[in-house]
Amino acid sequence: MRRLLIVDDEAIITDGLAEIFGRLGLPGLEICKAYSGGEALDWLNSTRIDIVLSDIRMPELNGLELLEVIRSGWPRCRVIFLTGYNDFDSVYQAIQVWGVRYLLKTEGYDKVISEVKEALRELDEGHRTEVLLQQAREQRNTLETLAQGEYFRHLLLGTGIGTAESLQEDFRKLNVPLDPAMPVMLVLGNLVHSGSDTSYSGRREAALAVKLLGDTYFHEKTRCVGIIDRYGDLFWMIQPYADKQEAGDSFEGVVRFLEGTLDLISGACLDSLGIETTFTICSTPFNWEALPGAYDRLRQMQHLRAGDGSSMVVTIQSESVDMTRQTREGLRAEKLEPLAGLLEAGRRDAFVETLGDLSDEVLGDPSVDAIQVMELYYTIAMMLLSYVNRRKLSDQISAIELMRFEGHASWQDAFAFLSRTADHLFMLRRTSEYSRAKTVIQGICSYVEDHIDEDLSVVRLASRFHFNPAYLSRLFKQGSGQNLSDYIEEARIRNAKRLLASGELRVHEVGARVGYESPHSFTRFFKKATGMTPQEFRESSREAAQ
């Protein structure tokens, strides 16, 4: 999804341009409006904007001042300035900045449309995954990447974090661009392969491709290190540039940047690699000694999501974590990681296949005795029971039955029971996700009805319900069978008809009650939806009532 923000202090220009681009039906383009530089700042501070179409001269905050904010927060954003003034100084300053165009308002809508389309083409061309990956391949040192991955996987087990001085020395030797004296933010990425290549090497190659893509984007505004963790998922540790924090690039600013950037990366992964992704940003910075516990907590919190979780960017907060675990817990997790990781990630088919291969290998080996088979059974059963306890599913899965190896007629029956139990857990997970999605959709519908006179753009609703806009739109469509924008429009029309028919308010007051401050915009909207102006509808309602 691309977002076009139209900014002009003259409402008729802003609404007119929004209507024109809306009629064009450019695929994947969301149109946002701002009637002042201040409103434009609100948009830029809350979500990623790809193209800004703005008047260069406005009260409070002019276009050039707005440009400084855009360049700081969203480096890839394209800017098109419109003006009716022959202001050479402003034009000269504007065209010195990369990604900025300048048009006179007198050049007409065709020229404006052409420039926006060209900006979209440039964004898509510059976003080609293969180009970015090639740049990353040319810059990276393979041995360094492998060494950093091994080092941080070791730290995440809780066995290798020492003093700040020892971390500093390790970071220096491994060329890690992070500061051990500064807190770190975490991002977890989960890949769902929709293509045919599900081999180990194929999954690792795809994960590396997404890691390199993320590194390329993140380095524009942050210091970061990304690794592929022991479950095959992506894990980034991120800090703002220390020398830029005073300019506003604090952890809070980095969160907004990550939300918008990961939305782009998610789209690139799906379009170019055929991979659906889930990214979870933990906006709480952690000290390095808390890294293992924070990482485990992030994996648990990623599980609590609505819908199927694919193509999703979620921002969460977490309480501080005290890391006091002993190394044995980490070693046990490492021993169980193939199956535990698949269960945590919700990869049912791969889990069932892996469990089947493991049981077949053990049960088909004549040298394996009953004690070893029992040990393997209880090891897997304890892993399932741990999942049941953490997800509070004890009312659905019987712990007593799960821990009764001797209650099965044969070893084969025992492992078949484990497989059926795991399959039931996956089913419960899907049911829970759909239930949460239904609750979210109901909440959105209630919010729309209660705030019909307010801004109900997808971006604002996404911020209210803590989803990224593209995922919220898809979640609503999947759960309700209707586009979110269509539902909002129908709600506005329904309320407008009711208020017009009552005759208690003037037409412009009705428009304001359903979210249209401009009477002209309300009239256009109502006539487009009903074929009648608001006044014509009111008169026809009176005639019908007589």
Side-chain angles (χ1 to χ4, degrees):
M1 174 184 288
R2 296 290 185 185
R3 297 193 187 95
L4 167 66
L5 175 61
I6 302 172
V7 190
D8 201 299
D9 58 328
E10 296 185 45
I12 191 170
I13 294 178
T14 304
D15 292 340
L17 287 169
E19 184 175 352
I20 287 171
F21 281 103
R23 287 203 303 263
L24 288 177
L26 297 175
L29 182 66
E30 181 181 355
I31 300 166
C32 312
K33 298 185 292 185
Y35 300 98
S36 68
E39 285 189 36
L41 280 182
D42 290 340
W43 281 105
L44 292 164
N45 288 333
S46 62
T47 190
R48 188 196 81 249
I49 297 295
D50 301 293
I51 303 174
V52 173
L53 181 60
S54 173
D55 189 3
I56 204 169
R57 286 221 177 177
M58 294 180 292
E60 301 179 2
L61 187 75
N62 64 37
L64 295 179
E65 292 169 329
L66 188 63
L67 178 61
E68 294 181 12
V69 176
I70 295 169
R71 290 277 74 86
S72 173
W74 305 106
R76 293 177 180 267
C77 181
R78 299 302 200 271
V79 179
I80 303 172
F81 280 127
L82 296 173
T83 184
Y85 294 86
N86 186 16
D87 189 338
F88 177 82
D89 291 337
S90 296
V91 173
Y92 182 80
Q93 292 180 58
I95 63 177
Q96 301 308 305
V97 181
W98 175 87
V100 176
R101 292 172 167 84
Y102 168 83
L103 292 173
L104 288 172
K105 292 181 179 179
T106 54
E107 292 189 71
Y109 288 131
D110 289 343
K111 182 65 174 176
V112 175
I113 292 170
S114 175
E115 290 295 333
V116 170
K117 287 182 175 179
E118 178 61 17
L120 288 169
R121 188 197 65 78
E122 288 179 4
L123 286 168
D124 290 339
E125 188 66 26
H127 190 58
R128 301 296 182 194
T129 304
E130 285 301 321
V131 174
L132 294 173
L133 291 181
Q134 184 59 37
Q135 293 173 353
R137 291 190 187 103
E138 293 172 355
Q139 296 172 6
R140 85 178 191 270
N141 183 308
T142 303
L143 293 178
E144 180 179 282
T145 300
L146 293 174
Q148 289 181 356
E150 288 297 320
Y151 174 72
F152 282 104
R153 282 190 289 272
H154 179 63
L155 288 189
L156 293 177
L157 287 174
T159 59
I161 295 182
T163 64
E165 290 74 18
S166 64
L167 284 176
Q168 184 77 53
E169 182 64 12
D170 289 340
F171 285 13
R172 184 187 64 81
K173 290 180 178 179
L174 293 170
N175 198 25
V176 174
L178 301 174
D179 183 357
M182 181 180 178
V184 64
M185 274 177 49
L186 311 179
V187 174
L188 185 63
N190 176 254
L191 277 59
V192 180
H193 297 257
S194 57
S196 58
D197 189 359
T198 57
S199 64
Y200 172 83
S201 59
R203 294 195 304 271
R204 298 289 287 190
E205 182 178 354
L208 180 60
V210 179
K211 173 202 167 315
L212 294 173
L213 181 61
D215 291 350
T216 301
Y217 274 99
F218 296 160
H219 280 307
E220 293 180 344
K221 276 183 66 66
T222 69
R223 296 179 299 182
C224 73
V225 169
I227 67 168
I228 301 172
D229 70 10
R230 63 181 184 268
Y231 301 110
D233 292 330
L234 295 166
F235 180 68
W236 281 279
M237 293 150 284
I238 295 174
Q239 295 172 335
Y241 284 116
D243 58 346
K244 292 185 178 180
Q245 287 193 68
E246 293 182 359
D249 280 347
S250 62
F251 282 103
E252 182 179 356
V254 168
V255 170
R256 292 193 298 271
F257 170 74
L258 290 175
E259 289 172 340
T261 301
L262 287 170
D263 190 16
L264 281 176
I265 293 173
S266 180
C269 291
L270 187 59
D271 294 340
S272 301
L273 301 175
I275 297 174
E276 292 186 332
T277 55
T278 296
F279 293 107
T280 304
I281 305 165
C282 184
S283 61
T284 307
F286 290 96
N287 293 324
W288 286 95
E289 61 267 24
L291 179 64
Y295 165 74
D296 289 343
R297 177 63 175 157
L298 178 58
R299 291 196 63 85
Q300 293 176 13
M301 294 181 74
Q302 188 187 60
H303 173 83
L304 299 176
R305 62 197 184 201
D308 59 7
S310 60
S311 301
M312 176 180 183
V313 180
V314 178
T315 301
I316 63 173
Q317 292 182 329
S318 178
E319 66 275 13
S320 298
V321 178
D322 292 325
M323 180 54 199
T324 58
R325 297 182 306 169
Q326 299 298 315
T327 59
R328 288 184 180 178
E329 183 179 349
L331 295 175
R332 288 197 299 270
E334 186 177 10
K335 185 177 180 181
L336 289 172
E337 66 183 32
L339 282 176
L342 294 170
L343 182 62
E344 285 288 339
R347 300 171 185 168
R348 176 193 173 279
D349 293 341
F351 181 95
V352 172
E353 181 181 356
T354 303
L355 177 59
D357 291 344
L358 180 60
S359 60
D360 289 345
E361 179 182 345
V362 173
L363 298 178
D365 187 348
S367 65
V368 176
D369 58 28
I371 299 298
Q372 291 172 311
V373 174
M374 187 182 300
E375 179 185 3
L376 176 61
Y377 175 92
Y378 281 118
T379 299
I380 298 172
M382 283 300 296
M383 179 198 66
L384 296 176
L385 183 60
S386 175
Y387 182 93
V388 168
N389 289 336
R390 282 183 283 115
R391 305 300 180 230
K392 303 186 187 312
L393 299 172
S394 56
D395 59 333
Q396 302 284 338
I397 300 293
S398 171
I400 295 176
E401 291 185 17
L402 192 58
M403 302 307 293
R404 285 183 58 200
F405 176 74
E406 70 282 358
H408 299 284
S410 66
W411 295 351
Q412 288 79 6
D413 287 347
F415 280 91
F417 172 74
L418 290 179
S419 181
R420 291 195 302 273
T421 301
D423 196 54
H424 188 48
L425 288 174
F426 285 114
M427 183 274 292
L428 291 173
R429 177 184 180 129
R430 289 192 298 270
T431 301
S432 177
E433 289 170 349
Y434 292 142
S435 176
R436 286 195 291 271
K438 183 179 179 180
T439 300
V440 170
I441 291 171
Q442 290 174 343
I444 292 171
C445 293
S446 297
Y447 185 86
V448 168
E449 295 295 338
D450 294 341
H451 299 81
I452 197 68
D453 60 331
E454 299 177 9
D455 177 13
L456 294 176
S457 65
V458 175
V459 171
R460 292 289 169 86
L461 289 173
S463 175
R464 169 66 177 77
F465 288 90
H466 311 293
F467 290 94
N468 77 302
Y471 184 77
L472 182 68
S473 296
R474 188 163 67 88
L475 178 67
F476 192 91
K477 178 65 178 291
Q478 288 179 341
S480 68
Q482 183 179 25
N483 289 327
L484 178 55
S485 58
D486 291 341
Y487 176 83
I488 294 170
E489 182 174 313
E490 289 178 4
R492 293 193 193 278
I493 287 294
R494 184 171 61 253
N495 280 273
K497 285 181 176 180
R498 176 177 56 80
L499 293 172
L500 288 168
S502 70
E504 297 177 359
L505 300 173
R506 297 180 180 179
V507 169
H508 73 275
E509 292 174 329
V510 171
R513 288 286 185 92
V514 297
Y516 284 85
E517 293 296 332
S518 168
H520 181 63
S521 297
F522 172 59
T523 298
R524 278 207 315 267
F525 157 76
F526 192 89
K527 186 171 183 179
K528 178 182 177 182
T530 66
M532 293 185 288
T533 66
Q535 187 60 41
E536 290 170 344
F537 177 83
R538 168 168 282 175
E539 292 172 358
S540 65
S541 298
R542 288 173 180 171
E543 293 174 358
Q546 292 176 355

